[in-house]
Amino acid sequence: MRSVEEHLAAILGSVRELPPVDLALPDARGAVLAEPVSAPVPLPPFDNSAMDGYAVVAADIARASEADPVTLPVAGDNMAGEPGVPAIAPGTTARIMTGAPLPAGADAVVPVEWTDGGTETVRITRSAPPGNHIRRAGEDVRAGQVVMAAGTRLGAAQLGMLAAVGRGHVTVRPKPRVVVLSTGTELREPGTPLGPGQIWESNSFMIVAAVAEAGGVGHRHATIDDEPGKVMGTLRDQLVRADAIVTTGGVSMGARDVVKEALTGTGTVDFHKVRMRPGKPQGFGLLDGVPVFTLPGNPVSAYVAFQVFVRPALRAMQGLPAESLPIVGAVLTEDVTSPPGLRQYLRAHLTLTRSSYTATPADTQGSHQLASLSSANGLIVLPEDAESLPAGSHVDVMRLPS
Ligand code: AMP
Ligand code: MG
């Protein structure tokens, strides 16, 4: 038997970062930046107005008030993106819109609300200090400043930033393409009727979604029957389109453990018992260089094994730290027991009360009992040497993606 750490280390020792690709910005959403990005120009690139109003010399309106307004001639209009008035002389003003360049000579913007809105002359009823409502060149980003480090996952705000520094393309590590394959003659497609002894196939839908949560793109392959030849043929067919393959089922000790049977012969995929519950039977190896994860068939075992082993590997392939889900500390609300020598992952409900978490284990913990997983928001991680822990004990809890 292997420890969780040993199995994970063997996996992480074999997976490689995906080679970087150049993608158009919209296609890079969710990918991980593989280059540092710096700004070719300052942002904003020029001094401009933060308000719709009038560009003025602050000293000209220093004494303006409701009772004693100052009236100035309007030299013209500065609209965003148009040439407009390049400069104003003291004693004059230009209308200016948000984002329009500040004319030379002006040192303040008076919002239109403080004026009569005139177009030939304007009456200003309040003073403004120098710099009022002016956005200075470079006050967001300096020219040459690195705005994003390699290793940043590109979400909405990051794509906005990249566009704002003028990048139409970026070099990223692509999302790993993961083919997900269920095995089991008893499995039927959801939406079709069940015959005797049959169940609806659920693992592949769950794992494809978990792949997406880990930053990859999952492709669900149709379920294959328990025939070793079919398993091997399908895996070989899928290698060309996959950065990784995840199978479920067929890896324990039964008479029909086809995945194990088919892959044992390859010599590059190894099968191990890992000291964990759920998820003890595991297999991993490379087929033509492609990482193949063979997870157990029971749905909760497959899910937990995915989070513990596959998620870190998919992150490593993206150039991210090879982490599982985030861990928080919590206080147990109930006594728990754990099998000696195995790390146990207990489905639980985490509750945040006054900045600390409590964890309540679910009533059902069988590896076939998906209902308690689908309503859990955490997995209590009980170490191998913990056999019983009383309520009030401090435990680590893996937070499940919401
Ligand atoms: P196996 O590891 O193939 O022996 O499967 C263990 C248990 O998990 C059996 O009860 C299977 O019916 C069930 N199982 C295997 N694969 C799936 C799947 N894709 N969806 C739902 N249940 C599954
Ligand atoms: Mg099976």
Side-chain angles (χ1 to χ4, degrees), residues 182-183 186-187 199-204 248-252 257 296-299:
S182 288
T183 64
E186 75 281 22
L187 304 173
I199 60 171
W200 284 301
E201 198 280 306
S202 56
N203 286 352
S204 68
T248 69
V251 293
S252 47
D257 282 321
N298 275 306

Side-chain angles (χ1 to χ4, degrees), residues 41-311:
V41 298
L43 293 186
F46 46 86
D47 292 353
N48 68 92
S49 178
M51 297 287 280
D52 293 337
Y54 294 83
V56 297
V57 177
D60 290 344
I61 58 160
R63 269 182 285 279
S65 66
E66 289 283 353
D68 192 11
V70 170
T71 299
L72 298 175
V74 178
D77 289 344
N78 278 12
M79 304 294 177
E82 291 179 12
V85 177
I88 59 166
T92 71
T93 182
R95 272 206 315 163
I96 192 164
M97 302 304 145
T98 305
L102 190 73
D107 64 0
V109 169
V110 172
V112 70
E113 293 82 354
W114 301 358
T115 73
D116 65 355
T119 53
E120 302 296 320
T121 63
V122 62
R123 237 160 53 104
I124 298 172
T125 55
R126 279 175 68 171
S127 65
N132 198 53
H133 294 312
I134 294 173
R135 307 193 288 209
R136 292 295 176 191
E139 72 178 22
D140 184 7
V141 173
R142 285 170 284 105
Q145 183 181 329
V146 175
V147 293
M148 219 172 287
T152 305
R153 190 186 303 281
L154 303 180
Q158 292 71 34
L159 291 176
M161 181 77 258
L162 293 171
V165 296
R167 295 298 296 261
H169 283 75
V170 279
T171 305
V172 294
R173 297 210 188 269
K175 298 181 179 190
R177 300 160 305 162
V178 182
V179 170
V180 180
L181 191 64
S182 288
T183 64
T185 305
E186 75 281 22
L187 304 173
R188 282 293 164 271
E189 287 293 300
T192 66
L194 290 182
Q198 299 179 337
I199 60 171
W200 284 301
E201 198 280 306
S202 56
N203 286 352
S204 68
F205 296 94
M206 178 171 66
I207 299 299
V208 163
V211 166
E213 289 170 353
V217 182
H219 297 281
R220 178 177 181 261
H221 190 279
T223 301
I224 44 184
D225 287 343
D226 289 320
E227 289 171 37
K230 271 199 185 156
V231 173
M232 207 52 221
T234 308
L235 285 175
R236 293 248 171 249
D237 285 350
Q238 294 303 314
L239 287 173
V240 289
R241 74 191 70 191
D243 297 313
I245 297 180
V246 177
T247 68
T248 69
V251 293
S252 47
M253 306 298 280
R256 277 275 183 88
D257 282 321
V258 285
V259 173
K260 200 169 176 180
E261 210 176 310
L263 286 173
T264 299
T266 62
T268 57
V269 179
D270 295 325
F271 293 86
H272 293 276
K273 288 191 179 126
V274 179
R275 284 195 285 275
M276 65 193 283
R277 177 183 289 173
K280 199 193 304 171
Q282 293 291 331
F284 172 77
L286 302 179
L287 267 192
D288 293 353
V290 176
V292 178
F293 300 84
T294 69
L295 308 184
N298 275 306
V300 181
S301 308
Y303 182 85
V304 170
F306 179 92
Q307 302 300 2
V308 173
F309 301 119
V310 187
R311 181 183 168 96

